[in-house]
Amino acid sequence: MQCTDIDVLVRLIVRLVLGGAAGAVLALVLRPIVFATAVITARAVAQPLGDLLGQLPWLDPVYSQAALASLSHVDVGGIAVDGAPGAALHAWFGGVMLEPQRAEHALIRIILRPGSSVLGRLVAAALAHAAVLSTGLLVLLIGRRRGRPALVGAGLACQLSVPLAIVAARPSLTELEASGVMFATNALAPALILRGVALSDLAVGMSPSLVTAVLVGLALLIAYVPAFAVLAARRRGVGPALVTASVIVVASSLGAAAVPIARPSSRIVAAPAMRLELPQRSLGEVSASPHPTYAADRWYLEPRTMIPVSPSTVEVLGAAGQFELRVNGQPQIIRGMGLNTQYALTMTPEQRRAQLEADFAALAKLGVNTVVGWDPAEFDEALLESAQTHGIGVVVPFDLDPEADYTDPEVRAALTRDVLAWVARYRDAPALRMWGLGNEVLHKIVHPAWVGPQEPARERNAQAFSDWLVETADAIHRVDPHHPVTYRSAEDAFVGWVVDALRRRGGGARQWFVWGTNCYQDHLADIVDNWPDSGFDGALWVSEFAPGTVAVPDRPVGFEAMWSTIRRHPQWVLGGAVYAWTRNGPEGVDRNFGLTDDGAPVDGRSLAMLSELFRGDQ
């Protein structure tokens, strides 16, 4: 090779390197700008867009508002820059620029506040990645067409920064499930994906490395979509761009599968498992929580008190927004837990009794005083006896079919007979607290799918169901005046149907008829604060709650915030129940929200927080 050839090669390498450095800097600056812009834009349009969606009758009001909240609820706490420049920026602009160690060895990192939505963060990150990849791809194609090595290097480096960022974040099914993607897909297209399917179910048998490779590849493919849409519209550069993108996607996926990358300490998903049968061992001893205030769990070994074995007497006293729940004459706040188990289906009777005994012993130590469920087959004499043994009350469920024809008098009469037989079977159980007559039935009648026209027949069925609900609640109260009746609903979107039915029925106030609201979003605060204006002249309790669509490490703070919301109006809110105790449930979200698995905590820090909240509220 002649000297001139060597000079040309050296100049080419130098230009590629310098261009690559420039491309890396461009990506470093562009990514946080687009991310922050996406977050700010989502928050700015959330309210007006929510008002618009509320005017569209063919959209499910609960899921639409929940999706909007998930996309917009991302709180930026500040920006951290590593090293000495970061320390200087923090000293000058402490309100925005955070401590350099918060960057966790990245040059620049946007820090989100705990409780930010996983879905909102993933969407904003996808937009930022798409912007960087599109820019890099465009710069590379321009450099190739004009023979500018520096631009080729800049475009290539700009694109490579995205897979490096994705691989470093180590995407996981746990985080993706927390976004609610499977639940949303089922709500949009119920026939496409079964309600009980979770992402982890689809990945059964796959190695962790393969799962990571697939997630990285999908993230890159999604991020490349805008760039290829533009190129396809212009009908130029698609071939070279496709080759470049294919190489980057395949190489990044293989690299992610082959090279294990440790997560940063602040992204630890769960504490190591600990058996609940060992109350003398504190969760604080094994938890890797970044919130040490909540790391120590309060597990108690208290002597068991004598529990009355006569039928319980439960009352809701008061009126006009001032209510109190009394159990056997004593005031009580519902510190509840949802049991969406499948023990009766998957265990022998002996195994089931042993598991119930272990569960209720652990729940009692946690500070739970009430359990609530959905499947009547699970809530039988065996469960009521185990609950009573440990001093825990039960909201006994009766499942109602949303596809039934409630306009048919014979259907209504037969169903009422079944309900009264159910009441006769369990009304003398000492653990009984309330009759759970249906769960989210109106939601499923009026909105069987997220999107779709509302047929007049469905509205007539919803009205007929509401009338039947009130009539049957009255019938229950006549045969058992010692236990309240509750209807559990999706948030507060369907209160009006039952309020209208109460007016049609007449008969005065029904303090014993309690509204249960299921809510997983910040909208819980609106429901609780505005309940006296809802038109429902009765008490409220939160029959399902959990911090939905937030990352697992943020859930303890989310539980604390939601319990604080529940307890700030004790005059009309009777308490609440967490969803859910175990991953052993029929719903896909049970694998995501379940707090235990075969007796071992899968999210120890959340149990620690709930123990602190419940025990502190006694």
Side-chain angles (χ1 to χ4, degrees), residues 32 45-46 105 114 132 142 164 201 218 234 250 295 304 448 501 551 555 576:
V45 303
H105 308 296
V132 173
I142 292 174
L164 288 174
D201 299 332
L218 285 175
R234 297 181 60 188
V250 172
R304 185 173 297 174
R555 286 183 185 168

Side-chain angles (χ1 to χ4, degrees), residues 23-38 106-110 124-133 135 157-166:
V25 172
L26 175 62
L28 186 67
V29 175
L30 183 59
R31 186 184 300 108
I33 290 176
V34 176
F35 183 92
T37 301
L107 291 178
I108 300 175
R109 188 183 296 277
I110 292 180
L127 292 173
H129 292 154
V132 173
L133 285 176
T135 301
C158 192
Q159 291 178 78
L160 287 174
S161 70
V162 172
L164 288 174
I166 293 174

Side-chain angles (χ1 to χ4, degrees), residues 160-226:
L160 287 174
S161 70
V162 172
L164 288 174
I166 293 174
V167 172
R170 203 63 172 180
S172 67
L173 285 179
T174 300
E175 187 166 77
L176 195 55
E177 283 186 327
S179 71
V181 61
M182 292 297 285
F183 188 86
T185 303
N186 174 265
L188 279 167
L192 183 62
I193 294 181
L194 295 176
R195 185 180 176 91
V197 174
L199 277 175
S200 53
D201 299 332
L202 302 178
V204 170
M206 295 176 62
S207 69
S209 296
L210 180 58
V211 171
T212 300
V214 170
L215 292 176
V216 170
L218 285 175
L220 286 171
L221 288 174
I222 292 171
Y224 267 118
V225 167

Side-chain angles (χ1 to χ4, degrees), residues 245-331:
S246 299
V247 171
I248 290 176
V249 170
V250 172
S252 301
S253 299
L254 293 175
V259 182
I261 301 176
R263 280 183 174 274
S265 60
S266 65
R267 296 177 62 85
I268 290 176
V269 170
M274 179 201 67
R275 301 298 298 182
L276 288 175
E277 301 91 279
L278 304 176
Q280 69 274 14
R281 183 180 181 188
S282 167
L283 281 173
E285 299 172 15
V286 296
S287 175
S289 166
H291 304 284
T293 305
Y294 308 127
D297 203 351
R298 298 181 180 182
W299 295 100
Y300 290 82
L301 285 173
E302 297 175 339
R304 185 173 297 174
T305 57
M306 294 299 295
I307 300 171
V309 293
S310 58
S312 60
T313 298
V314 183
E315 303 172 284
V316 179
L317 304 178
Q322 299 287 329
F323 300 98
E324 182 181 64
L325 177 68
R326 290 194 178 182
V327 177
N328 297 320
Q330 299 299 314

Side-chain angles (χ1 to χ4, degrees), residues 19 28 53 81 144 149 191 200 243 270 286 290 347 380 411 423 450 457 499 531 567 582 588-589 605 613-614:
L28 186 67
L53 294 179
V81 177
R144 177 179 174 276
S200 53
V243 172
V286 296
M347 298 180 180
D380 60 0
V411 170
V423 171
W450 190 339
V499 168
W531 184 247
R567 296 295 290 120
T582 177
V589 294
R605 290 177 46 235
L613 295 172
F614 286 170

Side-chain angles (χ1 to χ4, degrees), residues 468-513:
W468 175 88
L469 177 69
V470 175
E471 292 168 7
T472 306
D474 285 343
I476 292 174
H477 187 65
R478 283 194 297 271
V479 300
D480 180 22
H482 303 300
H483 298 98
V485 178
T486 183
Y487 172 68
R488 296 169 286 163
S489 180
E491 299 185 352
D492 58 347
F494 305 94
V495 176
W497 291 93
V498 179
V499 168
D500 290 342
L502 286 166
R503 290 171 181 161
R504 288 191 293 270
R505 177 75 174 176
R510 296 167 172 80
Q511 294 94 334
W512 47 267
F513 190 29

